[in-house]
Amino acid sequence: MIVRIMGEGQLDLTEADLDLLNTFDDALEKALEAGDEATFRKALNNLLEKVREDGKPLPPDALVSSQFILPPSDATMEEVRGMLQDDGLIPG
């Protein structure tokens, strides 16, 4: 599956990563619901770091559709809220 981190590029992850990424996504949603900035920052950082760790970067000139688009690490809580779908940033 192809994941884009806004401002950084695309990474290719295996479908096996989906469950783990959803765990990070759930923590991010809970932090947003609670309005807890510190927990939100940690959850967003953890999610992005896991994608960077497990993902294989695609070349910048690759023309591949992204299945998921994640916010940049400096995104605000409001910006991330605006990106959320019914089941988080990473549906599944």
Side-chain angles (χ1 to χ4, degrees), residues 12-59:
D12 188 11
L13 290 110
T14 67
E15 292 295 324
D17 290 310
L18 187 58
D19 286 339
L20 183 56
L21 293 179
N22 272 313
T23 302
F24 288 105
D25 190 32
D26 290 344
L28 181 66
E29 281 189 88
K30 287 178 183 166
L32 284 169
E33 288 171 9
D36 184 338
E37 177 77 27
T39 303
F40 163 76
R41 283 277 145 230
K42 182 173 175 39
L44 179 58
N45 183 57
N46 289 343
L47 174 61
L48 297 177
E49 282 303 312
K50 189 62 180 167
V51 170
R52 291 179 191 121
E53 269 179 30
D54 291 0
K56 179 184 174 199
L58 295 180

Side-chain angles (χ1 to χ4, degrees), residues 81-92:
R81 275 190 194 101
M83 294 179 69
L84 289 178
Q85 299 175 25
D86 290 338
D87 49 358
L89 290 171
I90 302 176

